[in-house]
Amino acid sequence: MKRIKALLRFPPNRAGKPITYHLVKDYDLRINILHAEVAANRVGVLVMDVEGQEEAIDGATRFVRDEGVEFHIVESAVSWDRDRCIDCGACTAVCPSGALSLDQKDWSLVFTPADCFVCESCLKACPMRAIAPAIGGTPAS
Amino acid sequence: MSVKSLEEINERIHKKKAVVVTAEEIIRIVDEKGPAEAAREVDVVTTATFGAMCSSGAFLNFGHADPPIKMGKIWLNDVEAYGGLAAVDTYIGATQPSETRGLEYGGAHVIEDLIAGRPVKLRATSYGTDCYPRTEIETVITKDEINEAYLYNPRNAYQNYAAATNTSDRTLYTYMGVLQPRCGNVTYSTSGELSPLLKDPYYRTIGIGTRIFLGGTQGFVAWPGTQHNPSRPRAENGVPLQNAATLAVIGNLKEMSPRFIRAATFERYGVSMYVGIGIPIPILDEEMVRSVAVKNSEIFTKVYDYSVPSRDRPCLGRVSYAELRRGSITLNGREVPTAPLSSLKVAREIADVLKGWIAGGDFLLTQPVAQLPATANPKGLEVKAGSQAANVAGGGAR
């Protein structure tokens, strides 16, 4: 069994097909949706934990791409510029996953990439512009 | 009931014998030893804050070009600076947005670039005069190549500030950060029990002329800040329950550090500047030590609904900074996550740096030249009927 965090980016007009249904039914993948932003006629983003046999994940990757949807394996969720950061905590106000939090003792900002949903809300919330998108992570091979 | 005079404290600082602690450390000392003992033992308590302070900016003097120019319109890295002063003087305001990069770059960024020693593009135009014939100039400056460069911030270091939330159905982008719909979060901006004016609630020792830490160097309190309002309701310990006193501060930009002056962009609101301020409080007597030992659990603020775009926003409740620091508060019976906007971590760093300066004998304390006003009555701006306003404008001609 293999477990990855995947980011799917839907071009406009591709949000109609029940992609996740096929991933579950045809490839027997266990899917946990972490974040979804899919609207008609707009680029959509779906972030999910995916667990399954390695071959099945490979097959699912090919299927998703054949549907014209970008498939990325997310390793670094967002990139955080530690030097630019002033540990204010403004980003924690919008982080839904708790991946960005403040240490209650020394009040440093703590980023836990494994918990990140890649909703990217923090990008706008950071007054120092110290958080940048990780450009969809690494394309799956 | 004076325990020691300011002169005695300065004498001890001079001999490097002063006992200096931060406003967080004094809380534990008073808890353990009581105020009388703490007042005898401790000479100085350092306070600090590092938050977004929009009402900030810098005066600059560029020196004269040859032939000279009387700069009328001035831009620094495409951010307009004020041209209504003498030929080569200007004031660059922190919140002025760039004409080419919008809200992602502004006056605060120019100031941060100057402090960091980075080159800044200067462009200016003029109508030309007999003594100042040049009508255009474009060049590059650094802080070391220009004459004076000093920060003058008309309103900093607010004594307390409201917490913000949003009861509407849409996300709000404010100077209090991103406020999520249906009270999805509460933001607040203070260093609380470390914050300067919360620890000297009646301005006994902080006044005009007080020497302070400003942006990494020594600066001064220049004047009461704009919208200074000491007449707000107070808790029994004297601490105002909402935005009250403010300070205008001044200091040499050339000696500052980008660690303690940082440009910021609040999404869809605009540019602001994080300003690092530290203020020492001399422990003259037991009353002073009681003031500086006030804790987060004894300092309160009000939560306002920022979805009402009026100067009288509805107040949804009163909370202590201990509650806000815990990470969530109860609002209308629901747990709502809280998040700070000012950096307590950097504020602590400032309090420690200032402590080191004083303990090392490099920073003497000052008696205020004049006290801050103890009362005030800030006014709102009334919108008068158009015809009346027009008459006033044209009045001189008639």
Side-chain angles (χ1 to χ4, degrees), chain B residues 53-344:
Chain B
M53 305 187 194
C54 284
S55 203
S56 297
F59 283 101
L60 310 173
N61 176 285
F62 300 116
H64 289 284
D66 197 17
I69 177 170
K70 179 181 183 296
M71 297 179 184
K73 287 264 186 191
I74 304 168
W75 296 265
L76 292 163
N77 283 352
D78 297 334
V79 178
E80 186 166 11
Y82 186 61
L85 298 171
V88 292
D89 281 338
T90 193
Y91 184 79
I92 173 96
T95 68
Q96 185 72 39
S98 156
E99 291 182 2
T100 49
R101 294 161 68 183
L103 302 184
E104 292 303 314
Y105 190 94
H109 297 83
V110 172
I111 290 168
E112 188 190 320
D113 281 344
L114 285 171
I115 290 173
R118 289 188 279 267
V120 168
K121 187 178 82 177
L122 164 65
R123 187 163 60 88
T125 59
S126 175
Y127 46 79
T129 73
D130 287 345
C131 46
Y132 293 106
R134 190 191 285 268
T135 56
E136 272 182 321
I137 192 166
E138 190 167 327
T139 184
V140 170
I141 59 160
T142 65
K143 67 174 176 182
D144 297 324
E145 293 162 348
I146 60 175
N147 290 319
E148 294 75 16
Y150 55 92
L151 235 57
Y152 182 90
N153 301 344
R155 183 170 67 255
N156 278 183
Y158 241 122
Q159 184 182 29
N160 214 347
Y161 208 84
T165 194
N166 166 20
T167 63
S168 80
D169 287 333
R170 67 179 184 94
T171 301
L172 296 179
Y173 297 87
T174 75
Y175 63 80
M176 290 298 286
V178 181
L179 299 175
Q180 294 183 315
R182 297 170 290 278
C183 292
N185 55 8
V186 169
T187 60
Y188 61 99
S189 184
T190 183
S191 55
E193 62 194 20
L194 192 57
S195 183
L197 290 171
L198 293 175
K199 308 317 289 270
D200 184 7
Y202 292 107
Y203 336 118
R204 273 186 70 199
T205 68
I206 303 173
I208 296 169
T210 298
R211 183 181 287 122
I212 61 171
F213 171 111
L214 179 60
T217 188
Q218 292 187 15
F220 296 91
V221 174
W223 204 250
T226 50
Q227 293 175 29
H228 175 72
N229 187 359
S231 301
R232 295 285 202 187
R234 291 170 186 260
E236 266 177 41
N237 57 20
V239 178
L241 298 166
Q242 63 201 99
N243 321 13
T246 67
L247 301 175
V249 298
I250 189 164
N252 189 351
L253 177 151
K254 295 188 182 190
E255 296 169 356
M256 291 181 185
S257 155
R259 173 77 186 146
F260 303 115
I261 297 284
R262 291 291 289 276
T265 292
F266 285 92
E267 183 75 17
R268 292 192 224 176
Y269 168 75
V271 178
S272 187
M273 193 160 87
Y274 276 72
V275 179
I277 292 179
I279 304 186
I281 296 178
I283 303 304
L284 303 170
D285 52 31
E286 209 178 302
E287 188 191 326
M288 208 64 236
V289 90
R290 281 180 204 276
S291 300
V292 293
V294 163
K295 311 169 183 171
N296 277 342
S297 59
E298 301 158 337
I299 307 172
F300 296 88
T301 191
K302 292 176 178 174
V303 183
Y304 284 94
D305 180 4
Y306 272 57
S307 70
V308 178
S310 155
R311 78 182 173 208
D312 300 310
R313 296 187 177 102
C315 173
L316 302 181
R318 198 176 100 166
V319 287
S320 76
Y321 284 121
E323 293 171 86
L324 286 165
R325 282 276 163 209
R326 234 171 266 140
S328 69
I329 59 166
T330 307
L331 210 57
N332 299 329
R334 241 186 70 215
E335 280 288 290
V336 179
T338 60
L341 294 169
S342 80
S343 172
L344 182 55

